[in-house]
Amino acid sequence: MAEKSTTALETPLRDQLDRLAALPPGSFISLYLDLRPDHNGQRNHVQTFLKNSFDEQLRTMTGDTHVAFENTLERIRGYVNSTDLTATRALAMFASTTGDVFEAIPLDVPIEHPSMHLGSVPHLYPLARLNDQYPRYAALLADTNSADIYVFALGSTMRRESVTSDKMRRTRMGGWSQARYQRHADHWHKLHMKDVVDALDKVVTQERLDRIVVACDEVAKPILMEQLPKHLAEKVIDIVNVDVKSIEQHELLKETIDALRREDAKSDAEHVQRMLDAWRAGGLAVAGIEATIRALDMRQVEELLIAGRPDRVVGPADELIAKAQQNSARIRFIEDDSLLADVGGVGALLRFKI
C-alpha cells in the first residue's frame, strides 16, 4: 500500500503555508469562517460570528492598538461583503494589524469550527490540518471501455483526463463463434487497459502524486491490476467497487476521500508506533514538546507527528507547525488522541541525528 509522502513540497496549500510560516513576528488576526448556508439557505451566521468575535476583542483594547485592530477588521469586513463567495464552503483569512499582510484563502472543504485568533504569528494549525486531510491524489474511474482520471485536492477537481476505446464497436462480429468473440473482446479490453495505465502513469508523473484510489467494477479490476506496473501498483491505496456508468463526480470524490481516511487511520497508528519504537531505542526519532522543538530548530525533522486537536498538544502547537513548514518537513495530524497521549501529543521522525 502507498505511504504518505514525507515531504511538504507537494501539498495543496504549500505556497500559502510557506508564505505565512515565513512571516516575521508581529500582530496578526487569523480567521476561519464556515460559509456553508443554514437550512434556510442563508449565511447570516457568518456576520453574527464576525460581529461577536470582533466586539469581544475590541472591548479589551485601547488607544493605538484599538484603532489598528478596528481598521484591520474593516478591511476584513470589506472583503467578506464585496467578494462573491457563493460557491465557497469556507474561508481562511490572515491580516496584520501593524503591516500590509492580508491574505484570504477561499476553500471548497468545510471548516467545522469557526474561530478567530490573535497572536504574534498567524495561527496555521487549522489550515495545516486541512492540508493533511484533503491531499492531492489521483482517482481512476474505469471499466473495460472507458476511463476517467481525476486529480483531486482540497475537495476540488484539479485535472481530468479521459480514455475511451471504440475499437470493439468498429469491428464487425458477424459469423463469429462465442469463444472467438470472447477472445477478441479480452484482447481489446487488455489493449484498452494498457492505454488507461499509460495515461494514468503520465498524470501521476506530471502531477508528482504518491497516492492513487481506483474505482472500477469487478470485470475491469483483474484486467487493470494485471496491466499496472509495480511503481504504480505501489501507489494504489484502495480499490472501491462502484457503478462506473452512473456515479456522479461528487460521489466519486466522497468514495475516494473515505478510502484515503481509512488508509490514513491505519498508517497513522503505524507511523506513531515506528516513532515510539525508534525513540525508545535511541534511533531516528524524538517524542515530547521540548525534544521535538530542539529537533525542528536543528532541521532534523523529516516528519512531524502531531495530535489532530491543538488542545491535545502540551506546548505551542502553532510554533511546531510553523517550524515544520519552514523546514519542509511532512506534517501528519494524528486523529486518534490516544496514540500520542503519553508523549504530550507530539513527536517526530528524524532525517539524521546529532
Side-chain angles (χ1 to χ4, degrees):
M1 285 294 182
E3 293 270 347
K4 286 185 184 177
S5 170
T6 52
T7 176
L9 296 182
E10 296 300 329
T11 55
L13 294 168
R14 170 198 170 184
D15 292 342
Q16 295 92 329
L17 285 166
D18 280 350
R19 278 197 303 274
L20 293 165
L23 292 172
S27 175
F28 294 94
I29 299 172
S30 302
L31 188 62
Y32 292 90
L33 296 177
D34 178 5
L35 300 185
R36 291 173 294 178
D38 60 22
H39 62 281
N40 293 318
Q42 303 298 313
R43 289 180 167 181
N44 296 331
H45 62 280
V46 176
Q47 294 298 335
T48 300
F49 173 79
L50 287 174
K51 182 180 186 306
N52 292 342
S53 299
F54 293 172
D55 289 350
E56 181 181 348
Q57 296 298 333
L58 284 168
R59 281 195 293 268
T60 67
M61 297 177 179
T62 58
D64 292 343
T65 302
H66 186 285
V67 173
F69 187 80
E70 196 162 35
N71 289 340
T72 307
L73 295 185
E74 285 305 312
R75 192 176 181 188
I76 291 171
R77 282 196 188 99
Y79 177 89
V80 172
N81 293 334
S82 65
T83 305
D84 183 5
L85 299 170
T86 307
T88 304
R89 302 182 70 188
L91 181 67
M93 300 186 74
F94 305 90
S96 171
T97 65
T98 56
D100 296 330
V101 174
F102 187 89
E103 180 146 1
I105 307 173
L107 298 164
D108 289 330
V109 293
I111 288 175
E112 300 295 343
H113 305 290
S115 59
M116 176 186 283
H117 310 267
L118 301 181
S120 60
V121 295
H123 180 67
L124 299 181
Y125 202 98
L127 193 66
R129 188 180 178 203
L130 287 176
N131 197 48
D132 185 57
Q133 288 179 313
Y134 298 93
R136 295 172 71 250
Y137 66 97
L140 171 62
L141 179 67
D143 63 16
T144 54
N145 293 301
S146 64
D148 288 302
I149 302 164
Y150 298 88
V151 177
F152 290 134
L154 283 176
S156 297
T157 303
M158 313 304 293
R159 178 174 177 179
R160 177 179 176 178
E161 302 283 344
S162 296
V163 181
T164 303
S165 174
D166 60 354
K167 298 181 178 71
M168 286 294 293
R169 291 196 298 270
R170 293 200 310 260
T171 304
R172 298 179 63 184
M173 300 300 176
W176 284 20
S177 68
Q178 181 62 35
R180 184 183 177 194
Y181 174 81
Q182 189 60 52
R183 288 195 301 270
H184 182 80
D186 291 346
H187 171 70
W188 286 117
H189 290 164
K190 287 180 181 179
L191 290 181
H192 165 65
M193 283 303 176
K194 185 178 184 304
D195 291 342
V196 171
V197 168
D198 289 344
L200 177 64
D201 197 4
K202 180 180 178 181
V203 170
V204 167
T205 300
Q206 290 177 345
E207 300 289 339
R208 299 179 66 182
L209 303 174
D210 63 0
R211 292 196 282 179
I212 302 167
V213 181
V214 174
C216 64
D217 56 33
E218 290 300 322
V219 176
K221 178 179 175 180
I223 307 172
L224 172 64
M225 298 311 295
E226 181 183 354
Q227 296 299 317
L228 275 182
K230 181 180 178 183
H231 70 277
L232 287 181
E234 290 175 343
K235 296 177 185 287
V236 175
I237 66 160
D238 201 359
I239 302 174
V240 294
N241 188 13
V242 300
D243 186 341
V244 175
K245 297 298 185 185
S246 66
I247 192 169
E248 298 288 341
Q249 188 169 317
H250 70 275
E251 295 172 326
L252 177 67
L253 175 60
K254 182 182 184 304
E255 288 282 350
T256 54
I257 278 287
D258 288 347
L260 284 176
R261 297 278 167 78
R262 290 191 296 270
E263 178 61 21
D264 284 351
K266 177 183 175 183
S267 62
D268 283 354
E270 293 170 349
H271 274 240
V272 170
Q273 192 59 53
R274 175 185 163 200
M275 179 271 292
L276 292 173
D277 290 345
W279 169 57
R280 289 164 181 154
L284 289 173
V286 292
I289 187 71
E290 293 182 2
T292 303
I293 289 177
R294 283 197 303 270
L296 285 165
D297 287 338
M298 299 300 291
R299 305 186 71 87
Q300 296 172 267
V301 174
E302 178 180 354
E303 183 171 42
L304 177 70
L305 307 178
I306 190 165
R309 292 167 51 188
D311 61 353
R312 294 294 187 265
V313 181
V314 183
D318 263 335
E319 181 180 350
L320 293 163
I321 297 297
K323 286 178 180 291
Q325 193 68 32
Q326 291 163 6
N327 294 350
S328 294
R330 173 75 173 86
I331 304 172
R332 180 186 287 263
F333 287 84
I334 307 300
E335 301 300 332
D336 184 342
D337 291 341
S338 67
L339 294 176
L340 290 171
D342 291 342
V343 293
V346 66
L349 294 163
L350 305 181
R351 299 180 176 117
F352 57 88
K353 290 202 70 172
I354 296 178

